[in-house]
Coordinates of all heavy atoms in Angstrom, one line a residue:
Chain B
S115 N -88.5 35.4 -7.7 CA -88.3 36.2 -6.5 C -89.4 37.1 -6.1 O -89.4 37.8 -5.1 CB -87.0 37.1 -6.7 OG -87.3 38.0 -7.8
S116 N -90.5 37.1 -6.9 CA -91.6 38.0 -6.6 C -92.9 37.3 -7.0 O -93.0 36.7 -8.1 CB -91.4 39.3 -7.4 OG -92.6 40.0 -7.4
V117 N -93.9 37.3 -6.1 CA -95.2 36.7 -6.5 C -96.3 37.6 -6.2 O -96.3 38.5 -5.4 CB -95.3 35.3 -5.7 CG1 -94.5 34.2 -6.2 CG2 -95.1 35.6 -4.2
L118 N -97.4 37.3 -6.9 CA -98.7 37.8 -6.5 C -99.3 36.9 -5.5 O -99.3 35.6 -5.7 CB -99.7 37.9 -7.8 CG -99.3 39.0 -8.8 CD1 -100.3 38.8 -10.0 CD2 -99.6 40.4 -8.2
I119 N -99.8 37.4 -4.4 CA -100.4 36.6 -3.4 C -101.9 36.4 -3.6 O -102.6 37.4 -3.8 CB -100.2 37.2 -2.0 CG1 -98.8 37.4 -1.7 CG2 -100.8 36.3 -0.9 CD1 -98.0 36.2 -1.4
F120 N -102.4 35.2 -3.7 CA -103.8 35.0 -4.0 C -104.5 34.7 -2.7 O -105.0 33.6 -2.5 CB -104.0 33.8 -5.0 CG -103.4 34.0 -6.3 CD1 -103.1 32.9 -7.2 CD2 -103.2 35.3 -6.8 CE1 -102.6 33.1 -8.4 CE2 -102.7 35.5 -8.1 CZ -102.3 34.4 -8.9
W121 N -104.7 35.7 -1.9 CA -105.6 35.5 -0.8 C -107.0 35.4 -1.2 O -107.9 35.0 -0.5 CB -105.4 36.5 0.4 CG -105.2 38.0 -0.1 CD1 -104.0 38.5 -0.4 CD2 -106.2 38.9 -0.1 NE1 -104.2 39.9 -0.7 CE2 -105.5 40.1 -0.6 CE3 -107.6 39.0 0.1 CZ2 -106.2 41.4 -0.7 CZ3 -108.2 40.2 -0.1 CH2 -107.6 41.4 -0.5
R122 N -107.2 36.0 -2.4 CA -108.4 35.6 -3.2 C -107.9 35.0 -4.5 O -107.0 35.7 -5.1 CB -109.3 36.7 -3.5 CG -110.2 37.0 -2.3 CD -111.4 37.9 -2.7 NE -112.1 38.4 -1.6 CZ -112.1 39.7 -1.2 NH1 -111.4 40.6 -1.8 NH2 -112.8 40.0 -0.1
T123 N -108.4 33.9 -5.0 CA -107.9 33.4 -6.3 C -108.4 34.3 -7.4 O -109.4 35.0 -7.2 CB -108.4 32.0 -6.5 OG1 -109.8 32.0 -6.5 CG2 -107.9 31.1 -5.4
P124 N -107.8 34.3 -8.6 CA -108.3 35.1 -9.7 C -109.8 34.8 -10.0 O -110.5 35.7 -10.4 CB -107.4 34.7 -10.9 CG -106.1 34.3 -10.2 CD -106.5 33.7 -8.9
E125 N -110.2 33.6 -9.8 CA -111.6 33.2 -10.1 C -112.5 33.9 -9.1 O -113.6 34.5 -9.4 CB -111.8 31.7 -10.0 CG -111.2 30.9 -11.1 CD -109.7 30.8 -11.0 OE1 -109.2 30.9 -9.8 OE2 -109.0 30.6 -12.0
E126 N -112.1 34.0 -7.8 CA -112.9 34.7 -6.8 C -112.9 36.2 -7.1 O -114.0 36.8 -7.0 CB -112.3 34.5 -5.4 CG -112.5 33.0 -4.9 CD -111.7 32.8 -3.6 OE1 -110.7 33.5 -3.3 OE2 -112.0 31.8 -2.9
W127 N -111.8 36.7 -7.5 CA -111.8 38.1 -7.9 C -112.7 38.4 -9.1 O -113.4 39.4 -9.1 CB -110.3 38.6 -8.3 CG -109.4 38.8 -7.1 CD1 -108.3 38.2 -6.8 CD2 -109.6 39.9 -6.2 NE1 -107.8 38.7 -5.7 CE2 -108.5 39.8 -5.3 CE3 -110.5 40.9 -6.0 CZ2 -108.3 40.6 -4.2 CZ3 -110.3 41.8 -4.9 CH2 -109.3 41.6 -4.0
A128 N -112.7 37.5 -10.0 CA -113.6 37.6 -11.2 C -115.0 37.7 -10.8 O -115.8 38.5 -11.3 CB -113.3 36.4 -12.2
E129 N -115.4 36.7 -9.9 CA -116.8 36.8 -9.5 C -117.1 38.1 -8.8 O -118.2 38.7 -9.0 CB -117.1 35.6 -8.5 CG -117.0 34.2 -9.1 CD -118.0 34.1 -10.3 OE1 -119.1 34.6 -10.2 OE2 -117.6 33.4 -11.3
L130 N -116.2 38.5 -7.9 CA -116.5 39.8 -7.2 C -116.6 41.0 -8.2 O -117.5 41.8 -8.0 CB -115.3 40.1 -6.3 CG -115.3 39.4 -4.9 CD1 -114.1 39.6 -4.1 CD2 -116.6 39.8 -4.1
L131 N -115.7 41.0 -9.2 CA -115.8 42.0 -10.2 C -117.1 42.0 -11.0 O -117.8 43.1 -11.2 CB -114.6 41.8 -11.2 CG -113.3 42.4 -10.8 CD1 -112.2 41.8 -11.7 CD2 -113.2 43.9 -10.8
H132 N -117.5 40.9 -11.4 CA -118.8 40.8 -12.1 C -120.0 41.2 -11.3 O -120.9 41.9 -11.7 CB -119.0 39.4 -12.7 CG -120.0 39.3 -13.7 ND1 -121.3 38.9 -13.5 CD2 -120.0 39.5 -15.1 CE1 -122.0 38.9 -14.6 NE2 -121.2 39.3 -15.6
E133 N -119.9 40.8 -10.0 CA -121.0 41.1 -9.1 C -121.0 42.6 -8.9 O -122.1 43.2 -8.9 CB -120.7 40.4 -7.8 CG -121.8 40.2 -6.8 CD -121.4 39.5 -5.6 OE1 -120.9 38.3 -5.8 OE2 -121.5 40.0 -4.5
W134 N -119.8 43.2 -8.7 CA -119.7 44.6 -8.5 C -120.2 45.4 -9.7 O -121.0 46.3 -9.6 CB -118.3 45.0 -8.2 CG -117.9 46.5 -8.3 CD1 -118.2 47.4 -7.3 CD2 -117.4 47.2 -9.4 NE1 -117.8 48.6 -7.7 CE2 -117.3 48.5 -9.0 CE3 -116.9 46.8 -10.6 CZ2 -116.7 49.5 -9.8 CZ3 -116.4 47.8 -11.4 CH2 -116.3 49.1 -11.0
A135 N -119.9 44.9 -10.9 CA -120.3 45.6 -12.2 C -121.8 45.5 -12.3 O -122.5 46.5 -12.7 CB -119.6 45.0 -13.4
T136 N -122.4 44.3 -12.0 CA -123.8 44.2 -12.0 C -124.5 45.1 -11.1 O -125.5 45.8 -11.4 CB -124.2 42.7 -11.7 OG1 -123.3 41.9 -12.5 CG2 -125.6 42.4 -12.0
N137 N -124.0 45.1 -9.8 CA -124.6 45.9 -8.8 C -124.5 47.4 -9.0 O -125.4 48.2 -8.6 CB -124.0 45.6 -7.4 CG -124.4 44.2 -7.0 OD1 -125.2 43.5 -7.6 ND2 -123.7 43.7 -6.0
T138 N -123.4 47.8 -9.7 CA -123.2 49.3 -9.9 C -123.7 49.7 -11.2 O -123.4 50.9 -11.6 CB -121.7 49.6 -9.6 OG1 -120.9 48.8 -10.5 CG2 -121.3 49.5 -8.2
G139 N -124.2 48.8 -12.0 CA -124.8 49.3 -13.3 C -123.7 49.6 -14.3 O -123.9 50.5 -15.1
H140 N -122.6 48.8 -14.3 CA -121.6 49.0 -15.3 C -121.6 48.0 -16.4 O -120.6 47.9 -17.2 CB -120.2 49.0 -14.6 CG -119.9 50.3 -13.9 ND1 -120.0 50.4 -12.5 CD2 -119.6 51.5 -14.3 CE1 -119.7 51.6 -12.1 NE2 -119.5 52.3 -13.2
L141 N -122.7 47.2 -16.4 CA -122.7 46.2 -17.5 C -122.8 46.9 -18.8 O -123.5 47.9 -19.0 CB -124.0 45.3 -17.3 CG -123.8 44.3 -16.1 CD1 -125.1 43.5 -16.0 CD2 -122.6 43.4 -16.3
N142 N -122.2 46.2 -19.8 CA -122.2 46.7 -21.2 C -121.6 48.1 -21.5 O -121.8 48.6 -22.5 CB -123.7 46.7 -21.8 CG -124.3 45.3 -21.7 OD1 -123.6 44.3 -22.0 ND2 -125.5 45.2 -21.2

Side-chain angles (χ1 to χ4, degrees):
Chain B
S115 64
S116 165
V117 284
L118 287 173
I119 302 287
F120 295 159
W121 43 273
R122 278 195 190 111
T123 61
E125 291 75 23
E126 290 170 340
W127 282 115
E129 292 303 324
L130 281 174
L131 279 167
H132 194 262
E133 202 177 301
W134 167 80
T136 312
N137 294 344
T138 52
H140 284 105
L141 287 177
N142 299 318

